[in-house]
Amino acid sequence: ILNVEQSPQSLHVQEGDSTNFTCSFPSSNFYALHWYRWETAKSPEALFVMTLNGDEKKKGRISATLNTKEGYSYLYIKGSQPEDSATYLCAHSHTDKLIFGTGTRLQVFP
Amino acid sequence: DAGVIQSPRHEVTEMGQEVTLRCKPISGHDYLFWYRQTMMRGLELLIYFNNNVPIDDSGMPEDRFSAKMPNASFSTLKIQPSEPRDSAVYFCASSLWAQGYGYTFGSGTRLTVV
């Protein structure tokens, strides 16, 4: 099993703060790196799928970067809002299946 | 498309009973995954299918767990007999092609075994 590590485990920020999380994954045999947003009592929703070293993806105030050589990805949220509160999961493609990290739980206070 | 549909949403059962969880993937998706969410392990892959064929069931905890996909639009995860430690949220997800596309998850089934 190829481990995916995420940090921090949890994060509390004030509305308007910008924040970022880290996902580290095995750099060998890389296929793709996925980011998901998971709100409480809902199901995970795909944010980004990144496949190339140097990839940068953006959706509104959320963006992500990828470094496949060193095995890490960053997720950035600019100007956090209370509705951004969720667990952010990253997952590494290993053959046909995704191996998920345990997530970063973000709480944004108004 | 209605997305990935799981049923039931909640299941409470007594220890020793058989439990069957159901999943309808998105039409046209050729991969189907069963995950279990626990506090200790987060999202844990149990088994996945490609074109209705089980590819990897190494995550199935023990022989009490079994999964089938009789056709492209239906899959079941069965636990027999159920035990309290099986209590968790079970998610089904489908994907068009696992490498380059995100998964679409169902709403999950919250299982409580008492």
Side-chain angles (χ1 to χ4, degrees):
Chain A
I1 299 292
L2 303 177
N3 288 329
V4 177
E5 308 275 346
Q6 290 190 248
S7 64
Q9 196 171 20
S10 65
L11 198 52
H12 299 153
V13 301
Q14 288 294 128
E15 182 176 355
D17 287 350
S18 293
T19 186
N20 65 84
F21 330 128
T22 304
C23 172
S24 61
F25 53 89
S27 55
S28 59
N29 298 319
F30 177 82
Y31 290 95
L33 193 284
H34 298 228
W35 280 100
Y36 287 80
R37 182 171 180 275
W38 193 2
E39 289 183 73
T40 303
K42 295 187 178 180
S43 51
E45 291 183 17
L47 282 173
F48 306 117
V49 180
M50 295 185 288
T51 56
L52 297 176
N53 185 44
D55 249 356
E56 290 189 29
K57 300 272 187 175
K58 192 174 187 322
K59 184 184 289 189
R61 293 179 291 99
I62 303 177
S63 60
T65 61
L66 178 67
N67 183 323
T68 61
K69 294 186 188 305
E70 295 181 37
Y72 66 83
S73 174
Y74 294 135
L75 186 80
Y76 301 91
I77 302 179
K78 185 178 177 183
S80 303
Q81 299 296 308
E83 57 265 30
D84 296 328
S85 298
T87 295
Y88 291 83
L89 294 170
C90 75
H92 171 247
S93 271
H94 174 60
T95 60
D96 286 348
K97 61 189 180 186
L98 284 184
I99 306 298
F100 281 87
T102 51
T104 293
R105 185 187 296 272
L106 173 68
Q107 184 75 43
V108 183
F109 294 103
Chain B
D1 199 318
V4 176
I5 299 172
Q6 287 188 248
S7 64
R9 288 294 303 273
H10 304 274
E11 176 80 36
V12 180
T13 190
E14 290 186 348
M15 183 174 67
Q17 297 297 307
E18 177 181 295
V19 175
T20 299
L21 313 181
R22 297 172 178 79
C23 175
K24 182 181 188 306
I26 289 176
S27 176
H29 281 191
D30 54 358
Y31 281 87
L32 183 140
F33 305 82
W34 282 101
Y35 282 87
R36 176 170 69 174
Q37 179 205 0
T38 62
M39 291 295 291
M40 293 292 292
R41 297 188 177 191
L43 270 177
E44 180 185 17
L45 178 64
L46 300 177
I47 184 172
Y48 75 98
F49 298 82
N50 177 219
N51 292 321
N52 315 338
V53 176
I55 302 301
D56 185 347
D57 65 355
S58 59
M60 297 285 259
E62 46 197 276
D63 292 345
R64 297 184 297 106
F65 285 69
S66 62
K68 294 181 180 178
M69 191 165 186
N71 57 62
S73 59
F74 184 65
S75 176
T76 59
L77 178 69
K78 186 177 292 186
I79 308 172
Q80 165 64 23
S82 57
E83 296 182 3
R85 61 193 166 121
D86 301 330
S87 298
V89 181
Y90 291 81
F91 284 99
C92 173
S94 71
S95 176
L96 181 59
W97 179 59
Q99 300 293 359
Y101 294 88
Y103 291 8
T104 302
F105 282 82
S107 301
T109 294
R110 181 175 294 277
L111 173 66
T112 303
V113 183
V114 297

